[in-house]
Amino acid sequence: MNLEAIYHRSQLNWAYAYDHETLHIRLRSKKEDLTEVNLYSGDKYGWEQTKIITPMKKLATDHLFDYWEAAIRPKFKRATYYFELIDDLEKKYLLEKGFFDQHPDRIYEGLFDFPYLNRIDINSPPEWVKDSIFYQIFPERFANGDLSNDPEGVLPWGGTPTPTNFFGGDLQGVINHLDYLSELGINAIYFNPLFEATTNHKYDTADYFNVDPHFGTNETLKQLVDACHDRGIRVLLDAVFNHCGKTFPPFIDLLENGEASIYKDWFYVREWPLSVVDGVPTYETFAFEPIMPKLNTENEAVKEYLLGVAKYWIDEIGIDGWRLDVANEVDHQFWREFRKVVKLANPKAYILGEIMHDSMPWLQGDQFDAVMNYPFTNALLNFFANTTIDANGFASAIQAQLVSYPRQITEASFNLLGSHDTTRLLTLCEGNKERLKLAYLFELTFYGVPCIYYGDEIGMDGGYDPLNRKCMEWDPEQQDQQLFAFFQSAIKLRKQYETLRTGDLRFVTQANKQLLVYERWDANDQFIIVMNNANESTNCQLAVINEQWIDVLSNENIAAIANEIHLDLPAFGYRVMKAIK
């Protein structure tokens, strides 16, 4: 038994409250080392009367480790516990104090302890989030619905984007195309920044309390939000609170008055006067960008201002949450206070952080509901688009991610395959729309909150910024209608079956390393999903219990013969099979 690989700690993603009655307990062991793990748990004040033994299931496996999980519902909200570890040769017992050969004699000493399941400590993302299909809109490039608010020098719709040009996209354009989004199946929109700024991307905020006049007015946004709500569509805005823009009035005052400015403590100034030396500003900024000075969110006046912004757009406009730009560069205390303000204004608001790496410090119930799931993005791009990993490597990467966070966080994580910051998926797939379909099909049959970057559903391509920010294609003759129909079907499928959103998951290893097979199941339904991520046909045999299956996308009946399904898959072919009970 490889004891060095075994790990557990009594908090974070290893022992946490899933809901107000249930604890999830996890343990890590070396891959294929342990044959069985049992969880012994009970109340520390009445162990003998409350002790239960719970077999742990193997939740996930990556290239190094197995991960085990058990769910328990302690009657009195408290749990002390230890693990029984079994392999082919021996048994060991893991307590907080270490490994032992026998069950503990004195249960009050050395056991792991979950002191109390306090409801207020549970990270409980809004329920609506895990049932959402998001659509990301870059406002300047989605649709021009009001020519009267066009910027000076606006270019004809559909031209080549540059970092500085404008095409006149606005909020009225979104209102005019809500039928399109409803037809697609979208029920949530994430907008890139809408507030007044100088650039086309609007991440250099000048006025946090006003919609950019080139997009419309606050009243226009209110009309849009109301129209979305009437259709069952939620609205998420971008909060750029790490930094502002060069035309933000306090920063203008700082530039004009230097150390005498009443706003000097709103920013981080390393050296006076403000200037740029060898490409590095003498004041803190986002990514050394002089037009984006970093805000001092420890300053009480800055804090009061930004928290007022967070509350205003919920109270006055009715938005459903915030996506937090550069969230990991803002102090934790600010986000704790931000959460209190937002959840008081709307307890069902979604708070989504932009963080590229391990985000557990922000996801303990006092800051964010979830984060943008870039590890998910990278895994899918590496398998489906870049083909730098095979199906086994992909399954390993996804499973390692599944155990990185509590399950309710995974169910609310924002899964994306591209954005305004990345090369478009179709371009990464070298124009192969079948590969794009596979990637989106996985996204739409997996845990978390899927997001579609505007235009992916009709075959838009584009290299890195600014080519990933092309004008939306509205000419039906230039849209790929078959691809649009695929998105419609996959979205409808996800909405129809809760299993595909929150059911259990298991990958099934295949000899063909480009063949991805995984199962989704719950008490109601069972699915097997098969994808051939190769440019040549293949076949596979799947061991099953149920005799009758149906491909829910093609409505083709599939029969098992001697508890085995035989499939022939074309290049980049797929099956989404549901057991007929």
Side-chain angles (χ1 to χ4, degrees):
M1 188 178 297
N2 190 316
L3 302 183
E4 292 86 348
I6 295 171
Y7 181 79
H8 173 78
R9 69 175 300 167
S10 188
Q11 288 299 326
L12 303 175
N13 53 310
W14 297 96
Y16 63 89
Y18 176 68
D19 55 36
H20 68 280
E21 294 181 339
T22 310
L23 297 180
H24 286 179
I25 310 294
R26 295 173 176 173
L27 177 128
R28 186 192 77 188
S29 65
K30 181 183 176 182
K31 184 176 182 179
E32 299 179 353
D33 185 35
L34 301 182
T35 58
E36 186 179 345
V37 180
N38 294 308
L39 177 71
Y40 285 71
S41 63
D43 192 287
K44 59 187 172 185
Y45 301 118
W47 176 267
E48 292 301 328
Q49 299 91 333
T50 60
K51 181 181 73 172
I52 58 173
I53 305 171
T54 307
M56 301 188 76
K57 67 177 182 180
K58 191 179 291 186
L59 172 66
T61 298
D62 62 22
H63 64 292
L64 290 177
F65 302 111
D66 290 331
Y67 300 88
W68 305 78
E69 182 180 83
I72 58 173
R73 304 181 77 177
K75 182 176 180 180
F76 301 104
K77 310 295 185 184
R78 298 179 296 262
T80 51
Y81 59 93
Y82 66 96
F83 303 92
E84 181 181 52
L85 315 171
I86 303 172
D87 67 8
D88 293 329
L89 300 175
E90 61 181 334
K91 289 184 180 180
K92 292 285 185 181
Y93 299 89
L94 174 62
L95 283 66
E96 191 172 55
K97 287 186 174 182
F99 295 96
F100 298 87
D101 294 326
Q102 303 292 333
H103 287 281
D105 294 327
R106 302 177 63 185
I107 62 92
Y108 298 105
E109 295 183 6
L111 272 64
F112 292 101
D113 184 30
F114 196 98
Y116 196 83
L117 201 165
N118 291 292
R119 185 188 294 257
I120 197 172
D121 292 332
I122 305 171
N123 194 340
S124 301
E127 281 296 313
W128 64 265
V129 172
K130 62 187 177 185
D131 297 328
S132 297
I133 313 290
F134 268 87
Y135 190 86
Q136 182 187 347
I137 291 179
F138 191 82
E140 218 283 319
R141 303 292 159 76
F142 187 66
N144 188 345
D146 183 356
L147 301 180
S148 70
N149 62 22
D150 284 358
E152 183 179 349
V154 68
L155 299 175
W157 194 258
T160 302
T162 72
T164 57
N165 60 9
F166 293 85
F167 294 95
D170 52 34
L171 296 179
Q172 187 60 50
V174 180
I175 293 172
N176 294 348
H177 289 92
L178 288 179
D179 283 346
Y180 171 87
L181 297 180
S182 294
E183 183 184 359
L184 180 59
I186 297 302
N187 57 15
I189 299 173
Y190 153 47
F191 283 103
N192 288 105
L194 296 174
F195 306 144
E196 186 174 347
T198 65
T199 59
N200 55 34
H201 55 70
K202 308 301 179 188
Y203 280 98
D204 59 322
T205 314
D207 186 343
Y208 286 87
F209 284 98
N210 280 298
V211 167
D212 191 287
H214 297 146
F215 292 160
T217 64
N218 292 14
E219 291 71 25
T220 314
L221 180 57
K222 175 64 173 170
Q223 293 171 15
L224 170 57
V225 170
D226 289 346
C228 285
H229 288 172
D230 288 343
R231 295 167 176 267
I233 298 174
R234 313 269 184 164
V235 177
L236 192 72
L237 297 191
D238 216 324
V240 190
F241 291 172
N242 174 70
H243 54 271
C244 62
K246 66 178 182 180
T247 56
F248 183 50
F251 188 68
I252 292 176
D253 189 277
L254 187 72
L255 288 172
E256 293 176 350
N257 297 303
E259 290 187 77
S261 172
I262 61 173
Y263 296 105
K264 69 174 183 178
D265 293 329
W266 280 46
F267 306 92
Y268 297 95
V269 180
R270 295 192 308 274
E271 185 180 329
W272 301 95
L274 302 188
S275 62
V276 178
V277 180
D278 296 328
V280 178
T282 59
Y283 49 96
E284 295 295 330
T285 67
F286 167 68
F288 302 115
E289 178 52 66
I291 71 167
M292 296 181 183
K294 181 175 174 61
L295 290 162
N296 177 9
T297 48
E298 296 178 41
N299 180 280
E300 289 300 322
V302 173
K303 197 183 305 183
E304 181 180 0
Y305 177 86
L306 294 178
L307 295 180
V309 172
K311 185 174 186 296
Y312 173 83
W313 294 98
I314 294 176
D315 286 347
E316 300 300 323
I317 307 300
I319 68 167
D320 300 287
W322 290 101
R323 180 264 192 187
L324 310 174
D325 188 56
V326 201
N328 56 338
E329 295 187 22
V330 177
D331 65 272
H332 289 279
Q333 184 57 32
F334 175 82
W335 291 132
R336 293 186 184 103
E337 296 183 37
F338 175 88
R339 182 181 183 88
K340 290 178 181 178
V341 168
V342 168
K343 294 296 186 178
L344 185 62
N346 179 2
K348 295 182 179 180
Y350 183 37
I351 301 177
L352 174 68
E354 183 205 20
I355 301 178
M356 305 276 183
H357 308 288
D358 178 36
S359 306
M360 199 63 234
W362 290 267
L363 296 171
Q364 298 181 52
D366 59 343
Q367 295 174 66
F368 307 159
D369 292 318
V371 292
M372 301 184 76
N373 199 351
Y374 289 103
F376 168 90
T377 308
N378 294 335
L380 267 72
L381 295 184
N382 287 339
F383 179 55
F384 292 110
N386 303 324
T387 64
T388 54
I389 58 175
D390 61 19
N392 293 336
F394 175 72
S396 176
I398 290 295
Q399 291 180 93
Q401 178 195 329
L402 283 177
V403 295
S404 296
Y405 299 129
R407 180 161 176 162
Q408 66 266 37
I409 304 302
T410 297
E411 292 172 346
S413 292
F414 194 87
N415 296 338
L416 65 161
L417 292 173
S419 74
H420 64 291
D421 284 328
T422 66
T423 299
R424 279 193 178 264
L425 177 59
L426 185 56
T427 296
L428 290 175
C429 291
E430 298 179 331
N432 188 324
K433 293 176 183 176
E434 301 308 312
R435 283 188 182 179
L436 178 143
K437 286 181 183 179
L438 293 182
Y440 267 109
L441 183 59
F442 185 86
E443 182 196 53
L444 289 162
T445 55
F446 184 65
Y447 297 109
V449 185
C451 182
I452 299 167
Y453 186 44
Y454 79 96
D456 277 7
E457 75 281 3
I458 54 168
M460 285 180 59
D461 61 6
Y464 190 66
D465 179 17
L467 297 178
N468 54 2
R469 304 174 183 181
K470 292 179 181 178
C471 296
M472 177 67 175
E473 179 57 71
W474 290 114
D475 181 355
E477 296 297 321
Q478 300 301 316
Q479 296 178 339
D480 188 326
Q481 299 297 333
Q482 289 185 336
L483 184 59
F484 183 85
F486 163 82
F487 273 86
Q488 282 182 306
S489 298
I491 289 171
K492 181 180 180 181
L493 186 68
R494 180 179 181 84
K495 288 181 175 181
Q496 183 176 356
Y497 295 105
E498 185 177 0
T499 314
L500 299 176
R501 306 191 298 273
T502 60
D504 288 328
L505 169 77
R506 182 172 76 92
F507 288 94
V508 182
T509 303
Q510 300 292 311
N512 182 339
K513 293 185 179 181
Q514 295 306 314
L515 193 63
L516 181 69
V517 180
Y518 56 101
E519 299 178 66
R520 302 299 312 271
W521 75 93
D522 59 17
N524 299 314
D525 295 301
Q526 180 185 2
F527 287 85
I528 298 178
I529 301 165
V530 185
M531 299 183 183
N532 177 23
N533 189 41
N535 58 7
E536 56 188 25
S537 61
T538 189
N539 57 71
C540 68
Q541 292 77 44
L542 304 173
V544 295
I545 297 175
N546 296 80
E547 292 185 357
Q548 297 296 323
W549 297 75
I550 185 171
D551 186 323
V552 289
L553 289 178
S554 68
N555 290 319
E556 178 185 350
N557 288 312
I558 300 169
I561 302 174
N563 297 116
E564 206 169 57
I565 291 176
H566 294 259
L567 294 177
D568 293 315
L569 291 169
F572 305 110
Y574 53 86
R575 293 280 198 174
V576 181
M577 300 182 298
K578 177 181 175 293
I580 301 175
K581 296 182 179 180

